[in-house]
Structures are given as C-alpha cells and as structure tokens.
Amino acid sequence: MFNNSIVAQSPDYFRNPLDIPITLAANFGEIRSNHFHTGFDIRTNAEIGYKVYAAADGVISRIKVSAGGFGNVLYITHPNGYMTVYAHLDHFNDAIAAYVKQQQYAKQSFEVELFPEASKFPVRKSDLIAYSGNSGASGGPHLHFEIRDASGETYPLNPAAFYKLEDTIAPKITAAYIYGIEKTTGIPVKYAVKKIKSGYTLAKDSVVVNNAMVGVAVEAADYMNRASNDYGVFEFTVKLDGKQIYNVKFDKFDFANGRYVNAFTDYKAIKTSDKTIQRLFRLPGDHNTIYHDLVNDGKISFTDSLFHLVEVMAADAYQNTTTLSFHVKGNHVTKAVPATTEEGRVFHYNQPNTFTSDSIQLNLPANILYEDLTFSYVEIPSAAKRYSATHVVQNANIPVHDSYEIRILPRNISTTLQPKAVIAYDEGKGVSGTKTSHWDGKWLVARAREFGYFYVMLDTTAPKITPVNVKQNSLLTTNNIKFTISDNLSGIVAYKGLLDGKWILMEYDPKNKRLQCTLDKQLAPGEHSLKITVADDVKNESVYLLKFKK
C-alpha cells in the first residue's frame, strides 16, 4: 500500500523554536549540492536577532562555533532521547556566550566544539537560548532547525512529523525521463507531461523504447500554502502493472549517506543544465537507506512485446498526492551488453581501481563510484603558471562518492619552492580550488572527491589584510575592529590576533571575507597595538600591525 504521510509524533512535545509562525525557506530532504537538506530552514523575515527558544526540556549537550558549516550552533538532548539542533545563530544567551568565550580564550581558538556536562546548562521548554542569525555557510538570515532521533546525533528526522504546517497543495510533475540501462544510465529520453483529471500522463500516453531494461525519472516539485518555494517531494512510489517496484521516502537520513544525493539525482543534468532530475530506480553503487520495497532496484525489464502500465506517485508529508500514469513497451528485447565491450578501460564501481601514466597515478578505493564507467584520461601539455601537464581525469559531470588519491609528477620546481606547490582543480573553466598536498619523493600527492582537470601550481603570494573601519595611529571610535582578509590560491587556514602582545578573540566569517574582534570596554586609555597574522595552506603568512589610541 502506498504510504504517503509521515507518522505523527507527539505533536505537542516540541514547541516552535521562534515566536513567529513557522514558514519555511527550505524543507527537510531538499536536494542540495552533495547532500540532502536535513532540517527546516525557518524564515526570520530576512533579519537577524529573533529570540530562539528551547523546543522542549533538556540539556545543552553540544556547542559549536565554526567559520563555515552551521556557524554558531546549539544541540539540546531531551529526556526522551531526541535531540534538537539550532544553527546559524547570531549569538548565544549571556550564560552560554560567557562559557563559550572562556573556552575560546582557554584554547586560543575562535572555532571550538564543546560538550558541557549535563548539569552545566539544563533548559526548560521555552527558555531563551540564543538569537537567530546568518553565521557559518548560511545564504541569508534564518534558523536551521533539526530533530534527531533517540539513537544519537547520526539520524536527522523530518520535522514535519512533529509540526503540522498548512499545506493542501499536491506535488507537481513537470517532466518524465526514461533511461536505457543495458550499458549505462547514459542520456535519458525526456517526455513532456500533461495534466489530466486523475493527475498527469505523458503528452503521448504510450511509449515504445528500444531497450531491454529501463528506469524512470522525473522532474517534480512541491509547494505549500502562501509560499512560492519548491520544498521537494517527500515520497515517490513506482508501480508496474499495479505492483510496487520502488519507494523512496524522506522521513529519516543517515548523515553518512548524504552524498548519495548524487546517485539519486542525475548529476550531469544538474552540472550542465541546472535541472534536478530524480531517478526512481537505484544505481548499483547507491547504498543509501532511504529506499524501500524495491523490485529489481526499481528498474523495468521487458520480457514481452506488450504495453505495461507505469504509475509514479508523488506525495508530500501532509498526505497530498499526485500520480503520473503512462504505458510503455520494449520494441524488441535485446540481451544486455556488458560495459566491458566498450572501448577503453572499465572502472567497476565495487572494486578498487588504479590508473598510472608517466606523470600521474590514481588510486580509487572500491564503492566510490555509483556504477561502472569507461575510464577516460587526457594529458594536455603544460601551460603558463602550471608546473605539470594538465591531467583531464574522466570529466566533472560524473560524481565521486568519496575521496581518492591523486599523485602528480611536477616539472621544474626547485627544492626551495617545493613547499609552495599545490594540486589545483578546475572543471574546465579555470582553477576553482586547490587540494591540500604533500610530497612523497618526486610525487605531489593529494586527495580528490571529484573528477576534472588537475595540475600543479605554486602559491608564493601571502594573504591580503585590509582594515575596514580603522586607520593607523588614529583615535578609535568603535570597540569592534574589522578587517577584510583574502587569499589568491591555496586558501586561508589560520589567523591570529594579539592585542598589546596578548591573544585576542578574532571572529572569522569566510563568506564575507571578514575578520573582526571586539575590544573590552574597560581597555585602558592610551596607545595600543593590534597585530593580525593570517596564513594560507602552504604557510604564506601576512602580518598587519595596527596602532591606535583609545
């Protein structure tokens, strides 16, 4: 039976963590770059500073401050074992903020991860714990809110099980695709859909394919009342001639499986056309736990020349459902041709794979590919500012689930400059990042988590430090001193501030390239110095000495 609703969970146990109604900027299970979204992004009217409350009784069990990721985040463990998470906060309440600051000074680090004793910060439902913000890798002011299950921090749950939001709108299916699966998932055929009284069908109801086995995929969206966002479809079920062959449901995730989003979606379509095509069949290397009751991994095999009824049902978390129905048959039944008959070397998804030439070595562990692929490699002669050939490894439109080792043999790098060498990565459009690298004899070694263009560059330029709201040798008119910091290649990895020779807390916001500190209001009048040191990944270091008067 098609289960199209989340099971209700103690609707009164958790309160709204804000004082304003819950309206979502993003939903649980939405498809993001390299992961599924794991909570509710609750709108805060594009402003920071809304009061954030404990959703239920519990203890603050974890506190984290980081430049990226969740930024300022609190974790509350509740007596029933559930955990709630409050992320991208602007600042904590006074007691928590004082504790965090004391730990930052003790560790001399802006970034801290703390696990206070249960007796340190007990909270009651509706206690003020923090203020909403835009910290970390947030794209705008909001509260990211999660509920995780009683087994620990590993499994986020769909908050829709605990909060009933107004939603009477069924998902919409805007396009259908059929993938031939004999050799590879390849290039799908797109089919237009049309709305009918019972849901959707294809513009031409009956489809004939020249494949012995196919998989179905869709472009689909879901909306809520009084909102224009696409909140993502909660559940898909596929039936063949009335029998279920596939189900995927976004009610619970395992953080370890987040990157499998690149198998659930057509990764190439996202990269090349920004289209989110959701596969309703499982690739062989996709080991996510979100699938249920699969028959032949959701793939359709043709053993006759008859038309077969395909039904794709899409549902949201509040039991709004729509169905796409059409008929399909195989024009002729052919025996699947193994991929090994194609030209080139085949990398099998479930085996370790290696590649070696005179100037590159690749070592891929098993199970970092989602399906077998015919490996391709091209070497392009060295270009300006590159200290190796450009190595085109497969292409950037094929996903890689986990990291693999890449070793490149550079050319003409003196011993003096070797510490400044990095392996640069791009997708064919120019360098977009570097890999932390180390030397192993004559080889420069790094780890990569994508395919594309790789080559060696030198980073000999130190980061740049620019004061924003202060001038040298001037009377300070603010207690908050701001700098812009940036780096040209390998990226900023360390920063430090010394006020009159003593460590001072510097807060780093990489998305705005901002480094700042707040002076003690009791700082003595007179002349002072603030020494800022910033280093990149190959230890190029810049120092800025600000002298000011208070």
Side-chain angles (χ1 to χ4, degrees):
M1 181 178 178
F2 180 57
N3 179 10
N4 64 349
S5 66
I6 245 181
V7 178
Q9 301 283 335
S10 306
D12 297 325
Y13 188 83
F14 294 115
R15 63 152 285 173
N16 178 350
L18 298 171
D19 272 338
I20 56 177
I22 294 178
T23 57
L24 299 185
N27 199 7
F28 185 91
E30 282 189 28
I31 293 164
R32 299 289 180 85
S33 176
N34 296 317
H35 70 285
F36 296 99
H37 191 242
T38 54
F40 276 177
D41 279 356
I42 304 175
R43 294 184 186 275
T44 57
N45 299 317
E47 298 176 358
I48 64 173
Y50 279 86
K51 293 179 179 179
V52 178
Y53 302 96
D57 294 355
V59 297
I60 294 177
S61 54
R62 182 181 176 196
I63 307 167
K64 189 172 182 180
V65 176
S66 58
F70 279 165
N72 299 323
V73 55
L74 293 175
Y75 300 75
I76 298 179
T77 298
H78 302 282
N80 62 359
Y82 287 89
M83 172 179 282
T84 50
V85 182
Y86 313 76
H88 303 307
L89 301 168
D90 185 68
H91 59 285
F92 308 122
N93 71 22
D94 290 346
I96 299 171
Y99 168 73
V100 170
K101 187 173 182 179
Q102 183 270 329
Q103 292 294 312
Q104 288 172 317
Y105 271 86
K107 300 173 183 292
Q108 293 196 354
S109 174
F110 165 60
E111 296 198 347
V112 292
E113 185 170 16
L114 309 170
F115 299 89
E117 296 291 332
S119 60
K120 184 71 174 177
F121 295 114
V123 294
R124 303 290 292 178
K125 186 176 184 176
S126 298
D127 279 356
L128 174 66
I129 57 173
Y131 296 83
S132 68
N134 187 32
S135 60
S138 169
H142 71 281
L143 175 66
H144 177 89
F145 177 72
E146 294 182 6
I147 299 177
R148 301 184 183 179
D149 81 0
S151 64
E153 297 187 22
T154 302
Y155 303 103
L157 306 174
N158 194 326
F162 303 85
Y163 296 94
K164 179 67 175 75
L165 305 184
E166 186 177 358
D167 184 359
T168 60
I169 303 172
K172 298 179 180 179
I173 298 174
T174 56
Y177 297 79
I178 294 181
Y179 288 73
I181 304 179
E182 282 89 346
K183 297 181 180 180
T184 174
T185 50
I187 300 173
V189 178
K190 181 178 180 179
Y191 295 89
V193 302
K194 63 180 180 180
K195 191 79 173 67
I196 57 176
K197 187 175 181 180
S198 60
Y200 295 89
T201 189
L202 302 187
K204 186 177 181 181
D205 169 72
S206 299
V207 174
V208 178
V209 296
N210 292 318
N211 303 91
M213 183 183 295
V214 299
V216 176
V218 295
E219 286 183 69
D222 186 49
Y223 302 90
M224 292 185 183
N225 300 54
R226 299 193 301 274
S228 60
N229 295 52
D230 170 13
Y231 289 110
V233 176
F234 168 68
E235 182 176 13
F236 288 103
T237 294
V238 179
K239 291 182 178 180
L240 179 65
D241 296 327
K243 296 181 180 179
Q244 180 174 310
I245 61 171
Y246 176 93
N247 176 265
V248 63
K249 187 186 302 182
F250 299 108
D251 56 353
K252 178 180 179 179
F253 287 136
D254 182 340
F255 278 114
N257 293 336
R259 199 171 171 91
Y260 283 122
V261 68
N262 295 330
F264 174 68
T265 59
D266 187 317
Y267 187 78
K268 180 180 179 180
I270 291 176
K271 298 286 282 187
T272 59
S273 63
D274 203 30
K275 288 184 178 180
T276 302
I277 301 173
Q278 298 171 82
R279 288 190 178 97
L280 305 184
F281 59 96
R282 184 169 64 180
L283 297 184
D286 181 356
H287 303 298
N288 207 343
T289 55
I290 59 177
Y291 306 106
H292 310 281
D293 303 320
L294 301 186
V295 177
N296 194 30
D297 282 332
K299 300 165 187 172
I300 300 170
S301 296
F302 296 106
T303 57
D304 56 40
S305 58
L306 303 176
F307 277 103
H308 297 272
L309 174 63
V310 176
E311 297 169 281
V312 175
M313 287 159 282
D316 64 26
Y318 300 112
Q319 304 182 39
N320 302 298
T321 306
T322 195
T323 301
L324 165 69
S325 302
F326 62 94
H327 294 83
V328 63
K329 77 169 184 176
N331 189 37
H332 59 274
V333 179
T334 59
K335 186 177 180 180
V337 181
T340 50
T341 62
E342 297 185 22
E343 293 183 3
R345 178 177 178 181
V346 173
F347 276 15
H348 295 284
Y349 75 92
N350 58 351
Q351 299 175 12
N353 296 281
T354 61
F355 175 81
T356 301
S357 75
D358 62 346
S359 57
I360 187 172
Q361 297 176 358
L362 304 174
N363 296 295
L364 283 69
N367 298 308
I368 70 167
L369 302 174
Y370 299 127
E371 56 187 331
D372 293 350
L373 64 84
T374 303
F375 180 71
S376 66
Y377 166 77
V378 176
E379 181 176 318
I380 301 172
S382 181
K385 298 184 179 180
R386 299 182 186 182
Y387 289 80
S388 73
T390 296
H391 303 279
V392 187
V393 179
Q394 201 65 38
N395 69 73
N397 298 328
I398 294 176
V400 181
H401 187 71
D402 212 339
S403 59
Y404 63 95
E405 183 184 70
I406 179 168
R407 304 166 70 91
I408 295 179
L409 186 65
R411 310 292 184 189
N412 305 317
I413 300 179
S414 68
T415 303
T416 304
L417 288 176
Q418 280 187 356
K420 305 302 180 184
V422 294
I423 293 179
Y425 168 76
D426 73 49
E427 296 182 348
K429 302 175 184 178
V431 62
S432 58
T434 61
K435 307 297 181 184
T436 297
S437 309
H438 67 275
W439 288 90
D440 182 9
K442 295 181 179 181
W443 294 88
L444 190 61
V445 185
R447 299 197 69 78
R449 211 176 183 184
E450 57 277 302
F451 292 137
Y453 291 62
F454 298 90
Y455 43 86
V456 175
M457 297 183 73
L458 295 182
D459 183 358
T460 58
T461 303
K464 187 176 181 181
I465 306 172
T466 306
V468 173
N469 62 343
V470 290
K471 295 181 179 180
Q472 283 287 1
N473 301 309
S474 63
L475 182 66
L476 203 64
T477 58
T478 177
N479 285 323
N480 185 248
I481 302 177
K482 299 178 181 180
F483 299 87
T484 296
I485 61 174
S486 59
D487 187 66
N488 72 316
L489 187 57
S490 62
I492 292 169
V493 298
Y495 46 89
K496 182 172 69 174
L498 296 176
L499 178 62
D500 299 329
K502 296 182 179 179
W503 190 88
I504 185 172
L505 177 63
M506 304 297 302
E507 301 179 16
Y508 182 36
D509 178 5
K511 67 176 177 285
N512 292 312
K513 300 181 179 180
R514 183 61 49 81
L515 187 68
Q516 63 184 18
C517 67
T518 301
L519 302 180
D520 190 331
K521 294 180 180 179
Q522 306 304 315
L523 185 66
E527 294 185 351
H528 298 274
S529 65
L530 177 61
K531 181 181 178 182
I532 303 297
T533 305
V534 179
D536 65 19
D537 198 34
V538 292
K539 297 183 172 57
N540 294 309
E541 188 175 273
S542 289
V543 177
Y544 187 93
L545 183 62
L546 173 70
K547 294 185 178 181
F548 63 92
K549 299 175 184 178
K550 187 76 165 69

